[in-house]
Amino acid sequence: MSAATETAPLGTAPARNAVGRSVRDSLVVAKRNLIRMMRIPEVVIFGLVQPIMFVVLFTYVFGGSVNVPGAPAGSAQAYREFLMAGIFAQTVTFATAGAGAGIADDMHKGLIDRFRSLPMSRGAVLTGRTLADLVQTALTLVVLAAVALLIGWRSHENVLKVLGGFALLLLLGYAFSWIGALIGLSVRTPEAATSGGLIWLFPLTFISNAFVPVNGMPPFLQHIAEWNPFSTTVQAARQLFGNTIEGIPSSVTGAWPMEHPVIASALWSLLVIVVFRTLAVRKYRSATA
C-alpha cells in the first residue's frame, strides 16, 4: 500500500517537469527575441508605419466615396467606424510575414542549430518566437488605436467589451503567427518567407468584410467572405466596439460565423493554432533532425 502511494506521484512528476521546462524554455526564447527587437528599434518603427498609412489613406482617400448602407451618403465618420476593426485585423495578420521572416533568418544563420544543441524543449523555440511577436503586435495595436482616436474613431461599448475585441484580434494574430512559423521553416531565405507570408494574406483580407460591405460582392464571393476567419474576427471586433451599422446585416448568406462572430472568432483562432502549431513543430523537428 505504502509502495503504491509513494510511486504514484513519481509517475506524474516527469510529465509535470516536462511541461514546466517547456514553459520556461519558451519564455527564455521569447525574452531573447524581445531584447533583439529593442536593440533594433527600426523594425518596430517600420512595423508601425504601414498600418498608420492604411488608416490615413483609407480614411481620407476612400472615406468620402464609400457609401455605408444605413448611413448618410459620403459619411466619413460612419466609414471610420466601419473601417477600423478591419484595419486592426489586417495589422495583426500582416505580422505573419515578419514572424516567418524571423524564423527563416534564424534558420539561415544557423541559430536554430545552436538552439538544437542546448538541452531545451524543441517546441519552445517556435513558441517563444510567436510569443515575442504577439508582444510586438500588441504594442502596434496600442499605437494604432491612439491614431484611430485622433482621426475620429470612437467605440460605443464599455471598457470590458472593447478589451475583449482587442483580445480576439490578438488571438487571431497569434494564430496566424503559427502559419508564418510554418512558412519560415519551409523556405530557404527570409525574403522568400516575407513573400510567402504576404501573398496569401491579400486575398484573405480583401475578400472579406474589412473594407467594404459583403452585400455588394457577387454571390459566390459573399459565401467565401462570410466563412472567412478574418471576416469573423472583424465582425466580432465591430460588435464588441459598438461599431456595427444598422444598414449592414450581420450576414447576407446566413453563415453561422457571422451570426455568432464572437464565439466563432475564438473557435477559428484556436483551430488555426492547434493545426498549424502541430504542423510547425513537426516541420521544425524534421528540419533539425
Side-chain angles (χ1 to χ4, degrees):
M1 177 71 71
S2 61
T5 304
E6 291 175 0
T7 57
L10 296 177
T12 59
R16 291 178 181 175
N17 291 338
V19 173
R21 192 183 76 172
S22 179
V23 171
R24 289 194 300 271
D25 292 345
S26 298
L27 293 176
V28 169
V29 175
K31 181 179 178 181
R32 172 255 174 193
N33 282 284
L34 288 173
I35 292 173
R36 182 184 180 188
M37 290 175 188
M38 288 188 291
R39 290 177 178 174
I40 313 176
E42 56 266 28
V43 174
V44 179
I45 293 171
F46 290 151
L48 290 171
V49 170
Q50 180 179 320
I52 291 174
M53 287 177 58
F54 270 109
V55 171
V56 174
L57 289 173
F58 272 90
T59 299
Y60 293 109
V61 175
F62 299 112
S65 58
V66 176
N67 291 326
V68 179
S75 174
Q77 180 61 28
Y79 187 63
R80 283 192 197 100
E81 296 196 355
F82 175 83
L83 173 70
M84 283 315 305
I87 294 291
F88 290 146
Q90 184 191 52
T91 299
V92 300
T93 53
F94 270 44
T96 301
I103 291 174
D105 187 49
D106 288 345
M107 291 282 289
H108 184 68
K109 292 179 178 177
L111 185 62
I112 297 297
D113 291 332
R114 277 180 262 169
F115 280 138
R116 185 189 171 210
S117 67
L118 298 174
M120 63 187 300
S121 170
R122 292 291 179 91
V125 175
L126 301 180
T127 303
R129 175 74 205 199
T130 54
L131 288 175
D133 290 330
L134 179 63
V135 173
Q136 183 179 358
T137 301
L139 174 62
T140 303
L141 269 186
V142 170
V143 175
L144 190 58
V147 173
L149 290 171
L150 288 175
I151 65 169
W153 171 72
R154 295 292 182 268
S155 62
H156 304 286
E157 292 288 355
N158 59 57
V159 174
L160 289 179
K161 285 190 175 183
V162 172
L163 291 177
F166 282 114
L168 285 177
L169 289 165
L170 288 174
L171 183 62
L172 179 72
Y174 182 68
F176 276 38
S177 69
W178 282 105
I179 302 178
L182 180 61
I183 293 172
L185 291 168
S186 304
V187 298
R188 296 182 180 180
T189 64
E191 293 80 9
T194 301
S195 299
L198 288 174
I199 194 169
W200 61 275
L201 280 174
F202 279 102
L204 186 81
T205 54
F206 282 95
I207 304 177
S208 72
N209 61 353
F211 307 113
V212 294
V214 172
N215 52 10
M217 297 180 182
F220 76 98
L221 283 183
Q222 290 177 354
H223 288 278
I224 295 173
E226 294 202 335
W227 281 94
N228 183 346
F230 182 84
S231 293
T232 306
T233 302
V234 171
Q235 184 70 10
R238 284 193 184 121
Q239 189 177 101
L240 292 171
F241 294 157
N243 290 155
T244 54
I245 298 174
E246 292 183 4
I248 302 177
S250 58
S251 174
V252 295
T253 66
W256 184 85
M258 302 303 290
E259 298 287 350
H260 309 85
V262 175
I263 297 173
S265 173
L267 291 177
W268 268 126
S269 295
L270 292 174
L271 178 63
V272 171
I273 291 171
V274 170
V275 171
F276 283 93
R277 187 185 189 280
T278 301
L279 294 175
V281 172
R282 185 178 299 172
K283 183 69 176 179
Y284 172 78
R285 288 174 177 169
S286 64
T288 57

